[in-house]
Amino acid sequence: MLILGGTGFVGRHLCTALAARKRKAVSISRSPDFGFLEAHAPGITGLTLSDMLDNAEAHFRAHDTLVYLASTSVPATYAHEPWNELTTNVQPAFEMFDRALRANNDLRIIFVSSGGTIYGANHSAPISEDVPAAPISAYGYGKFATEEAIRFLGRTKGLSHAILRVSNPVGRWQANRTHGIVTVAMRAARSGETLNLFDEGRQVRDFLDADDLACAIIQAADARSFPAATWNIGSGIGRTVGEVVNLVSRVTGRSIARNNLPKRAADVGFSVLDCSRAAGELGWRAQISLEDTIRMIERTWNDPK
C-alpha cells in the first residue's frame, strides 16, 4: 500500500493501524516524520514525495493500493478565491491518479473525501450517499471535483476505487491545534484563551475517531469485490458544536470561555452521516466514543512519546 500524505493527521493513524496488523506500506510526504514511523509504526517505510515522483511508475507497479490523503486546504480555505482549490488540490490529484493507472491498471485508489462538506446545507436527518452533492465551500467543491475525476477514470479506464466520504475525524495524532472544534476547544481549555463560537455553536456535526477511520480505509482497500464504491464513514451521531465544547470542558475538568460570532457563509447547519451502507457492505461501524477520543487526545498531549 502506498499512502500519499502518510504522516499527516489521518495518515499517522493509518500507519499505526497497518503496523499493528503487521502489514507493509510506504508512507509518502513532502517531509516525512521518520521518527514517528520508527516509534509508532515499525515496518512502515517513509519516503519523500520528491523521491517517490522520481521513480513513481516503479512504486505504482510494486503496490496494489494507493491511499490518497493529500490536501493543502481546510474548509475555510479559498473562501474568496474558490478557483484556487482546483489548481492546488484537484488537478494534482487527477494527474496522480492518471499516472498511477497508466503504470498499473490493477492499482486500487482509496480517496478520503469529505462527508461533512460534500452534501451542503438544508439537511435535518442523517444523510445517505444517495443524496445529491451540493457543496457550499470551495473545499467541499474540490473534494467533489476530485471524486468526479476518479469516477471518470473508472468509467473510461476501469480504475478500481473506493471513495470514503468522511465526517469530522478527530484523534490523538491531530497535531494541528488551530483547526477542528475538538482540538481548538482542548487548546482553549489548557491555555485559558477565549474560544470563538460561530452561530453560538448550534451547528450539528458527526465526529469520528481517526482510528475508526483507519480501519475503514483498510477494509475499503481490501474490498475489491466493490470496484467502484462510495461509502459514508462517520459515527452517525449528531452533536452541536456547543455540546462538544461542554464535553471537552467536562472531560478535561477545565472551564472554557466563549466568544459568540455570527454564522459563516461556508458553514452548514447540519451534517450527520447515514453510514448503513458501509455497515452492510464493508461490515464497518464506528466503535470509539467521542468522550474516549477526547481522553486519548489529552493523554497524548500530556505525553507525546
Side-chain angles (χ1 to χ4, degrees):
M1 179 183 289
L2 293 172
I3 308 168
L4 197 62
T7 49
F9 163 45
V10 173
R12 289 172 187 250
H13 286 263
L14 177 57
C15 286
T16 56
L18 290 167
R21 291 163 171 77
K22 307 298 184 184
R23 296 179 63 158
K24 302 294 183 181
V26 177
S27 170
I28 303 161
S29 302
R30 287 185 174 85
S31 300
D33 189 338
F34 296 106
F36 175 88
L37 294 174
E38 182 178 355
H40 300 285
I44 307 300
T45 302
L47 186 67
T48 66
L49 178 61
S50 59
D51 285 344
M52 180 267 181
L53 292 175
D54 286 343
N55 199 19
E57 280 66 29
H59 288 291
F60 291 141
R61 287 192 293 268
H63 295 86
D64 60 5
T65 305
L66 170 63
V67 178
Y68 197 88
L69 302 171
S71 179
T72 63
S73 63
V74 297
T77 308
Y78 304 132
H80 303 293
E81 297 178 333
W83 51 88
N84 284 330
E85 186 70 32
L86 297 175
T87 54
T88 58
N89 285 304
V90 180
Q91 182 176 337
F94 200 164
E95 291 177 355
M96 178 73 73
F97 300 149
D98 185 71
R99 184 176 180 180
L101 187 58
R102 283 187 278 114
N104 181 359
N105 194 56
D106 294 324
L107 191 71
R108 181 166 172 81
I109 300 291
I110 309 298
F111 176 59
V112 176
S113 185
S114 171
T117 61
I118 283 281
Y119 297 109
N122 303 317
H123 301 288
S124 58
I127 307 163
S128 78
E129 296 89 344
D130 296 325
V131 171
I136 61 172
S137 66
Y139 178 85
Y141 172 70
K143 293 296 187 185
F144 184 62
T146 304
E147 288 188 10
E148 286 296 285
I150 292 170
R151 294 189 187 96
F152 172 80
L153 292 174
R155 290 191 300 271
T156 60
K157 298 185 179 181
L159 174 65
S160 173
H161 63 270
I163 294 166
L164 305 185
R165 290 178 169 174
V166 179
S167 60
N168 293 77
V170 291
R172 65 191 188 279
W173 302 127
Q174 194 164 3
N176 185 344
R177 302 184 185 186
T178 64
H179 172 66
I181 187 58
V182 172
T183 50
V184 170
M186 292 189 68
R187 188 189 71 190
R190 294 163 72 91
S191 68
E193 65 188 87
T194 299
L195 173 69
N196 287 329
L197 277 185
F198 298 92
D199 195 26
E200 299 182 348
R202 288 182 289 204
Q203 309 95 331
V204 178
R205 296 289 182 265
D206 179 341
F207 295 90
L208 171 73
D209 192 285
D211 285 334
D212 280 334
L213 171 54
C215 292
I217 293 171
I218 294 169
Q219 288 176 235
D222 293 343
R224 289 182 173 265
S225 59
F226 296 94
T230 299
W231 288 298
N232 283 343
I233 303 295
S235 71
I237 299 171
R239 293 181 175 86
T240 68
V241 169
E243 289 171 341
V244 172
V245 175
N246 290 338
L247 180 59
V248 169
S249 180
R250 179 168 63 81
V251 171
T252 62
R254 300 181 179 95
S255 61
I256 301 173
R258 310 174 196 201
N259 177 38
N260 290 315
L261 297 174
K263 180 181 178 180
R264 297 177 295 188
D267 288 337
V268 299
F270 181 96
S271 180
V272 180
L273 301 182
D274 176 351
C275 302
S276 56
R277 182 177 296 177
E281 296 180 350
L282 283 179
W284 176 91
R285 291 179 177 83
Q287 303 292 326
I288 304 169
S289 72
L290 180 58
E291 182 170 343
D292 286 342
T293 300
I294 293 169
R295 294 188 190 282
M296 284 190 286
I297 294 171
E298 186 173 40
R299 286 197 296 270
T300 303
W301 285 14
N302 289 335
D303 184 12
K305 297 179 181 180

